């Protein structure tokens, strides 16, 4: 039977090598590794962990240097900043003991334990559990267990002191959860209906405290009407959605979006029945400015609220999440918008776009699309070939936005606003 890379790296000598090599400069490590009498598999396991630690720093900061990972586990792990927001919900609700079901490599467990919560973690993947045990080794009163969370006796967990549950259902096929994505919530592991059923035994003990990390594309119809559904993005990348029962809500039920840009976080909320469709707006045509909402805003269905609260006038076309205005949006909502000054509009054909661009003499060209069946990379390559900059200056960058304006396919020539 083959031995997993996690088992290999946790052997005394490989673990010592990993700890000592971590302190060396990256270009010194492979040479220094020869000083350790490691077997080939152990050597590969140590080098792999050093690589994964370096990659993990983007998600986890300096904490990554003392942790271990599987590649799938790292790819699917919650960013530490987002995990800290999850943990704060439990802490603020007065919860002291949480079960983290489907814990992966233990990032959410680590965040909760860091706030002094007692954490009981489970996962069906032995390598993930091994990672969690190592990653929680400095935290008191925490344990990681191997098991299928779908088969757990939730009432027994509660009888042992668990007051709340956080769960991250597996949404990929394959034993290591590294296969294709599973879109149907009924086929997740555990299924969404099963995970939601854990709420009732919690409520009987007085703690309506269930939090679920789910796919950001989850249809509204699957959200319980008294939950808060919160979508989270970091620097324009939509990461997750979270479903939070009443005890864990920040401002009541509804839909919300948390937009993290750099070191700042902005949360926008709408009190509503989160299971109902978002309000749809009529086209406002195209004005002087075009605005692209953050993906968390789009998924949370907050576009109509943004239009009501700002100088935004509406979408440029029905069902297109590009918005327009004739004034600069300078309110708090601007932190969740990317703005463009409209320079012109032309037909969505390379020749027409090239003709329009020659009049502007751009020094670089970016292509974006929404609601248009084109290949942005191919169009950008074609435009660069026709309009290759003849200068080292990039003082006149231009963006070509392939989309629909009032239902017609168009190319909007624009310049990014520096707000």
């Amino acid at each position: 039977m083959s031995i997993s890379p996690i088992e290999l790296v946790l052997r005394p000598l490989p673990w010592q090598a990993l700890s000592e090599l971590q302190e060396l400069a990256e270009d010194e490590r492979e040479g220094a590794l020869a000083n350790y009498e490691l077997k080939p598999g152990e050597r590969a396991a140590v080098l792999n962990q050093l690589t994964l630690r370096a990659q993990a720093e983007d998600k986890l900061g300096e904490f990554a240097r003392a942790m271990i990972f599987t590649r799938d586990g790292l790819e699917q792990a919650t960013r530490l900043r987002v995990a800290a927001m999850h943990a704060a919900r439990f802490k603020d609700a007065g919860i002291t003991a949480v079960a983290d079901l489907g814990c992966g490599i233990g990032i959410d467990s680590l965040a909760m334990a860091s706030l002094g919560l007692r954490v009981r973690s489970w996962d069906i993947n032995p390598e993930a559990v091994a990672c969690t045990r190592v990653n929680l080794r400095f935290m008191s009163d925490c344990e990681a267990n191997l098991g299928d969370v779908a088969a757990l006796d939730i009432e027994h967990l509660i009888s042992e002191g668990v007051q709340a549950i956080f769960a991250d259902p597996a949404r990929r096929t394959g034993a290591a959860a590294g296969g294709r994505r599973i879109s149907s919530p009924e086929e997740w592991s555990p299924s969404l209906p099963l995970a939601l059923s854990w709420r009732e035994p919690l409520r009987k003990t007085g703690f309506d405290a269930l939090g679920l990390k789910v796919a950001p594309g989850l249809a509204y119809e699957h959200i319980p009407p008294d939950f808060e559904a919160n979508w989270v993005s970091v620097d324009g990348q939509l990461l997750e959605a979270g479903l939070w029962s009443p005890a864990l809500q920040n401002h009541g039920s509804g839909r919300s979006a948390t937009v993290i840009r750099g070191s700042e976080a902005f949360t926008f909320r709408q009190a509503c029945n989160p299971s109902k469709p978002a309000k749809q707006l009529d086209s406002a045509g195209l004005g002087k400015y075009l605005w692209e909402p953050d993906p968390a805003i789009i998924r949370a269905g907050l576009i109509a609220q943004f239009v009501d609260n700002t100088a935004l006038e509406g979408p440029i076309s029905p069902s297109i999440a590009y918005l327009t205005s004739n004034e600069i949006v300078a309110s708090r909502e601007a932190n969740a918008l990317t703005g463009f000054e409209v320079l012109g509009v032309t037909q969505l054909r390379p020749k027409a776009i090239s003709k329009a661009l020659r009049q502007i003499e751009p020094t670089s060209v970016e292509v974006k699309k929404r609601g248009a069946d084109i290949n942005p990379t191919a169009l950008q390559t074609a435009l660069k070939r026709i309009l290759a900059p003849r200068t080292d200056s990039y003082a006149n960058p231009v963006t070509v936005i392939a989309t629909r304006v009032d239902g017609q396919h168009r190319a909007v020539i624009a310049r990014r606003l520096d707000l």
Side-chain angles (χ1 to χ4, degrees):
M1 180 181 295
S2 61
I3 302 175
S4 79
I6 298 300
E7 290 181 82
L8 290 174
V9 84
L10 293 179
R11 289 175 173 177
L13 186 57
W15 183 255
Q16 177 188 346
L18 176 63
S19 301
E20 294 176 356
L21 293 173
Q22 182 67 52
E23 303 304 317
L24 299 180
E26 189 173 343
D27 59 356
E28 299 175 355
R29 290 173 179 170
E30 192 159 357
L33 189 57
N35 297 326
Y36 300 90
E37 296 181 356
L38 299 178
K39 298 177 182 178
E42 295 173 339
R43 175 187 174 89
V46 169
L47 289 174
N48 184 53
Q49 284 303 316
L50 290 169
T51 299
L52 292 175
R53 283 180 171 184
Q55 295 171 352
E57 288 199 40
D58 179 55
K59 279 189 172 184
L60 307 173
E62 62 182 18
F63 292 97
R65 301 173 191 173
M67 302 175 73
I68 63 170
F69 307 94
T70 64
R71 186 165 298 280
D72 284 342
L74 176 57
E75 290 178 358
Q76 297 160 31
T78 307
R79 287 176 179 263
L80 190 58
R81 182 168 184 181
V82 178
M85 295 192 301
H86 296 166
R89 288 179 181 265
F90 293 94
K91 182 72 172 181
D92 294 345
I95 300 297
T96 60
V98 183
D100 183 2
L101 306 186
C103 63
I105 59 173
I107 306 305
D108 279 291
S109 293
L110 178 64
M112 290 185 281
S114 298
L115 294 183
L117 303 181
R118 182 163 61 93
V119 184
R120 299 292 180 263
S121 307
W122 270 266
D123 201 280
I124 198 170
N125 185 338
E127 289 192 341
V129 172
C131 289
T132 298
R133 288 170 179 162
V134 173
N135 297 337
L136 291 178
R137 66 190 182 278
F138 299 121
M139 299 295 171
S140 61
D141 203 12
C142 296
E143 64 180 40
N145 304 278
L146 178 63
D148 181 357
V149 300
L152 289 178
D153 185 338
I154 299 301
E155 292 187 354
H156 178 69
L157 285 182
I158 294 172
S159 72
E160 292 187 329
V162 167
Q163 301 166 320
I165 292 173
F166 178 77
D168 182 3
R171 297 180 291 280
R172 288 181 180 272
T173 60
R180 66 173 178 82
R181 293 183 183 275
I182 301 173
S183 58
S184 172
E186 287 78 12
E187 296 178 14
W188 295 349
S189 182
S191 69
L192 181 58
L194 175 59
L196 289 172
S197 74
W198 297 336
R199 179 188 183 187
E200 191 55 35
L202 289 169
R203 294 175 71 176
K204 290 179 180 178
T205 64
F207 292 95
D208 192 355
L210 174 66
L212 304 176
K213 178 180 173 181
V214 298
L218 180 72
Y220 294 164
E221 64 191 54
H222 297 293
I223 305 170
D226 60 343
F227 269 52
E228 177 192 355
N230 173 247
W231 282 263
V232 180
S233 69
V234 175
D235 295 330
Q237 179 185 4
L238 183 60
L239 298 182
E240 66 170 57
L243 305 183
W244 305 97
S245 64
L248 302 175
Q249 294 168 9
N250 289 329
H251 293 277
S253 61
R255 290 192 295 267
S256 62
T258 298
V259 176
I260 300 174
R261 291 193 172 184
S263 61
E264 297 186 275
F266 307 90
T267 297
F268 305 90
R269 301 179 176 87
Q270 182 178 56
C272 63
N273 180 340
S275 66
K276 298 297 183 182
K279 179 181 177 181
Q280 299 299 306
L281 299 176
D282 294 331
S283 171
L286 183 61
K288 186 176 180 181
Y289 301 102
L290 181 148
W291 303 87
E292 181 178 23
D294 185 274
I297 299 299
I298 297 172
R299 280 302 309 148
L302 301 183
I303 286 179
Q305 180 171 292
F306 265 47
V307 171
D308 289 342
N309 294 344
T310 68
L312 293 169
E313 297 178 10
I316 65 174
S317 194
S319 303
I320 295 293
Y322 283 138
L323 308 176
T324 192
S325 73
N326 287 301
E327 301 176 24
I328 295 289
V329 176
S331 60
R332 180 173 176 271
E333 283 81 359
N335 294 293
L337 298 168
T338 300
F340 299 86
E341 179 186 5
V342 176
L343 305 178
V345 183
T346 188
Q347 293 179 321
L348 187 53
R349 295 188 291 108
K351 287 186 178 180
I353 298 170
S354 298
K355 182 179 180 180
L357 289 177
R358 286 193 181 97
Q359 300 176 19
I360 300 171
E361 297 184 343
T363 53
S364 64
V365 178
E366 167 195 29
V367 175
K368 297 175 65 67
K369 78 160 188 173
R370 177 163 287 152
D373 187 17
I374 67 158
N375 183 325
T377 302
L379 179 57
Q380 184 165 335
T381 299
L383 295 176
K384 284 184 176 180
R385 185 168 57 247
I386 296 170
L387 302 168
R390 299 181 181 181
T391 173
D392 291 333
S393 169
Y394 289 90
N396 188 26
V398 168
T399 300
V400 175
I401 302 171
T403 187
R404 295 198 301 270
V405 178
D406 281 332
Q408 302 296 314
H409 283 97
R410 292 291 182 265
V412 179
I413 313 299
R415 181 178 291 116
R416 282 182 178 268
L417 296 175
D418 185 14
L419 299 177

